[in-house]
Amino acid sequence: MTRFGLLVPHFGLEADQDLLVDGAQLAESLGFDSLWVRDHLVFHPHGMEGTDRTFVEPFITLTYLAGVTDKIGLGAATIIPFRHPILMAYSVASMSWITRRRFDLGIGAGTFDHEFEVIGQGAEDRVQMMKEQVLIARKLWAGETVEWQSERYKFSDVDLKPQPRSPVPVWWGGATPAAARLAVDFCEGWLPGRITFPTDDEVRCRSAQRPRPDQECERAKVLAQAAVRRVHQDRGAGRLDPRRDAGRHRRRRAALPGARLRPPHLRLPHALPGLSRADKDARARGPAAGERRARRSQRAMKTTTTTKTTHYEIQKKRRESLLDEWKGYHKTILKRNDVVMREVPSRRIRSGVYAGYDGDRPTKNLDATVHELAPHTTTTIHRHSWDAIEFVESGRGWTEIDGQRIDWRPWDTLHLPSWAWHRHGNDADKPAVFHTWSVEPMLEQFGVALIEDGGDKPVAELPRRQRQAHAIDGADPHARRRQRLAQQWSGTESARLITRFDDVRGLVTKRGARSLFLVDKSIGYHTAGLSAVMHELAPGLYQSRHRHGGEAWLYVVSGRGHSEVDGVDYPWEAGDLIVVDHWSWHQHFNDDKQKTARLIRVHNFDALYDMIRILLDPLNLFEELPELDAPDLTGIVWPDHFEGRPQ
């Protein structure tokens, strides 16, 4: 049966007591089934909602409207996880009990990071936090006395009275395939916004696979470390049937630490001294036995290798030749005009390599490529084991990631997760140009760089993204590894995929620039260590000097200037890539006294460099002057955020 609900105006310019009452009563008289509210902690309206920041708390709004209506249902779309789970469960139960109404609880991770940063939860995995809150609330609503021990929440002997008047169906809010999967696997309903066909297909497919009520369906485990125990009466221990459970009453243990357990069906030859070898080991009989003995004889041949050079001299020479080779590849300024664009027929796109194995300058950590997509063209789809950052230089188009289409325009930045199917499209009349930076060279170095093409197939016909094994209970090494990896993987499929330039603003830093994150775990991304920051240098000024292990990669979005590296000046302009060599003192200057210069700093610190810092401790891998030599930016009048952005 189809039901219709109405979102009431409890926020923004239209928030008004009389309008709320009149609207709720009119909706009930017209036959609407329910009244709905939104949820925010620090309300910043979307662009189409104006600028008024008025926002009335959702549970108070619904309780108030229940008092001026007769029986219309209530709903929230969606409650976000900034409350403690006991408070959330308490608010829902109290409202349900006092209003005597049906309540549908929509939940979601929330769109805006600032609402969680103000309460110290900016780094939280909000999808997992929301799931954990709902698991706790469901137990409280069911009348259980709950004990909960996890990294987020620790409490015991908690129950909830009054209980909700009726069961509380939980709906997941979101328009992506990941949200659809959460709705089917974890909730009773789905609250989509504007959805794509792949998302709709995902829901239909997942719904068809959902277990029947008579099948055991365990709720998704959250973080694998929560120990939830219901206070209950001991129902007694189970019985062991000796015939059916033979051997279960006593575990076999090795006699000594590190000794192996022999499989019970295997008899060792030395335990049967009176038998010939052929009788001791059935493998020694038959026509193939002679061939096996010959192969063993060959493997048993003794080989002696002698050299006149010590291992020290060999390894020293190898290290020196490696460094000499890689120093020959280094170039501080990679000019855009020197990048050769080549047709890539297999993908229906033109690409050029700034740096990487696929061009003339091999690298060991990152690579940099520029792509041009012709008008009215869609690339083939593929995926790979490494992740990448995509930055749009000019034009408009879209990128489809695991079936989710994301429209973009100049200076938007996307994250392409590892093993996510993706393709790009340009429906406009002009070419679109975008850059990608990836960690493919690092994975190739480790021997795990894999790529898979999908041609023009829809995502629904392709294998799903690789998934981590779920966590299992226990304190043994294998269980702990499963728990740790599941925690690391948690939130991957619902992580942020795009930073729209319209939605971010830079902040002035003490190092002498106005900076903003484009891709980083602190703003909701789940990368393998990749991070991108845009730095804007004030007219005629510069950043403070510093040096660090690993190369510094900076793509010049706009402006002109130079970088001083160990006392040598290297001029650059828009479109160039600056690559600062390892452990070189450097700082960047804006040579234009009228306009700012924008540079994107790409690095892989969270993965590679943090590991190296630990391995090389106590060596310092980052150094700056004791007193920063940054300019005083007080009084600088920064240009409009969108100045210089292509249309």
Side-chain angles (χ1 to χ4, degrees), residues 582-621:
H582 309 71
W583 206 238
S584 300
W585 285 105
H586 60 279
Q587 61 186 144
H588 311 291
F589 296 80
N590 179 3
D591 294 341
D592 193 325
K593 299 187 181 302
Q594 305 298 323
K595 298 180 179 180
T596 62
R598 299 181 195 250
L599 302 91
I600 295 178
R601 168 72 158 86
V602 182
H603 65 57
N604 189 27
F605 268 103
D606 291 343
L608 184 63
Y609 296 151
D610 282 357
M611 177 176 65
I612 294 175
R613 284 174 60 195
I614 295 171
L615 294 175
L616 297 183
D617 181 71
L619 295 180
N620 183 16
L621 293 186

Side-chain angles (χ1 to χ4, degrees), residues 55-365:
F55 193 90
V56 185
E57 204 277 337
F59 294 118
I60 292 176
T61 299
L62 290 177
T63 305
Y64 172 68
L65 293 180
V68 297
T69 54
D70 294 326
K71 60 180 181 180
I72 193 169
L74 307 174
T78 58
I79 296 299
I80 58 177
F82 61 81
R83 299 171 182 83
H84 192 280
I86 297 176
L87 174 60
M88 190 267 285
Y90 180 56
S91 298
V92 170
S94 297
M95 185 187 64
S96 172
W97 182 84
I98 203 167
T99 64
R100 297 187 173 90
R101 304 291 176 85
R102 170 190 169 91
F103 177 66
D104 290 273
L105 175 63
I107 61 172
T111 302
F112 299 110
D113 297 331
H114 67 264
E115 298 191 270
F116 297 88
E117 291 169 352
V118 297
I119 55 174
Q121 295 181 346
E124 283 281 0
D125 183 334
R126 302 202 294 265
V127 170
Q128 294 302 316
M129 184 162 62
M130 187 79 259
K131 290 170 67 177
E132 187 174 5
Q133 291 184 7
V134 170
L135 287 180
I136 294 171
R138 279 173 168 149
K139 290 183 173 293
L140 292 171
W141 294 332
E144 297 183 19
T145 300
V146 178
E147 177 181 340
W148 191 275
Q149 300 295 328
S150 73
E151 290 186 0
R152 290 192 182 95
Y153 308 115
K154 293 179 174 63
F155 57 84
S156 60
D157 194 23
V158 174
D159 56 11
L160 189 64
K161 292 184 178 179
Q163 296 294 305
R165 287 280 182 177
S166 59
V168 180
V170 179
W171 304 60
W172 194 279
T176 65
R181 289 191 290 272
L182 285 165
V184 174
D185 294 342
F186 188 72
C187 300
E188 288 74 47
W190 181 37
L191 289 166
R194 296 174 292 275
I195 63 171
T196 61
F197 285 115
T199 306
D200 182 61
D201 292 342
E202 175 75 25
V203 176
R204 296 177 188 275
C205 177
R206 297 287 284 195
S207 298
Q209 298 171 356
R210 194 171 191 169
R212 300 186 305 274
D214 60 324
Q215 295 175 318
E216 181 180 354
C217 182
E218 183 182 10
R219 292 285 182 186
K221 293 182 179 179
V222 178
L223 302 181
Q225 80 273 19
V228 186
R229 296 182 294 276
R230 181 178 179 180
V231 178
H232 62 288
Q233 294 181 345
D234 183 7
R235 299 184 181 273
R239 297 179 180 271
L240 282 177
D241 183 339
R243 292 165 298 181
R244 186 189 65 218
D245 301 304
R248 284 179 54 188
H249 62 286
R250 185 176 65 188
R251 298 177 60 188
R252 301 176 68 245
R253 299 180 184 275
L256 296 173
R260 292 184 178 181
L261 285 174
R262 175 169 51 85
H265 64 276
L266 179 62
R267 296 185 302 172
L268 297 181
H270 62 70
L272 306 167
L275 299 179
S276 67
R277 183 176 183 279
D279 289 328
K280 294 177 184 177
D281 186 357
R283 293 173 300 175
R285 301 190 297 269
E291 295 179 13
R292 284 196 295 269
R293 282 193 292 270
R295 287 197 297 269
R296 282 197 298 268
S297 176
Q298 292 174 3
R299 288 197 298 268
M301 290 178 61
K302 182 178 180 181
T303 302
T304 303
T305 302
T306 59
T307 64
K308 296 182 179 180
T309 309
T310 67
H311 82 282
Y312 168 80
E313 294 166 303
I314 293 174
Q315 291 182 344
K316 181 179 179 181
K317 184 176 181 180
R318 184 187 302 153
R319 295 187 191 108
E320 290 174 349
S321 62
L322 176 67
L323 291 176
D324 289 339
E325 177 187 354
W326 284 94
K327 286 178 181 178
Y329 293 138
H330 179 78
K331 190 175 182 181
T332 302
I333 303 295
L334 300 168
K335 305 294 292 182
R336 175 63 175 272
N337 293 336
D338 295 336
V339 176
V340 179
M341 301 297 292
R342 301 182 185 277
E343 294 291 340
V344 185
S346 60
R347 298 224 63 213
R348 296 193 289 270
I349 199 169
R350 296 179 71 232
S351 300
V353 180
Y354 279 88
Y357 278 101
D358 304 319
D360 296 325
R361 182 181 173 267
T363 57
K364 287 289 187 182
N365 182 17

Side-chain angles (χ1 to χ4, degrees), residues 16-36:
D16 178 85
Q17 288 176 303
D18 295 333
L19 188 60
L20 277 170
V21 172
D22 294 343
Q25 293 173 342
L26 178 61
E28 187 172 46
S29 68
L30 292 175
F32 279 87
D33 297 285
S34 51
L35 303 173
W36 291 73

Side-chain angles (χ1 to χ4, degrees), residues 470-508:
H470 64 81
I472 58 176
D473 295 329
D476 60 275
H478 180 68
R480 292 180 64 179
R481 174 176 289 182
R482 289 275 293 269
Q483 293 162 12
R484 185 181 70 256
L485 294 178
Q487 167 68 17
Q488 184 186 66
W489 185 263
S490 173
T492 301
E493 295 182 347
S494 58
R496 186 172 182 174
L497 294 175
I498 185 170
T499 299
R500 301 191 185 281
F501 197 73
D502 290 348
D503 300 336
V504 292
R505 296 294 184 274
L507 296 174
V508 176

Side-chain angles (χ1 to χ4, degrees), residues 411-477:
W411 295 7
D412 289 346
T413 309
L414 295 85
H415 177 233
L416 305 176
S418 60
W419 288 120
W421 291 106
H422 56 278
R423 66 178 125 221
H424 313 283
N426 179 4
D427 300 332
D429 296 324
K430 297 181 179 180
V433 177
F434 59 90
H435 298 252
T436 56
W437 303 289
S438 85
V439 292
E440 188 277 341
M442 183 178 74
L443 269 66
E444 187 171 345
Q445 180 79 2
F446 295 152
V448 291
L450 304 172
I451 191 167
E452 184 177 3
D453 286 311
D456 292 310
K457 291 182 179 179
V459 172
E461 297 179 12
L462 296 168
R464 295 182 61 181
R465 195 195 303 188
Q466 299 283 346
R467 282 166 173 75
Q468 187 65 263
H470 64 81
I472 58 176
D473 295 329
D476 60 275

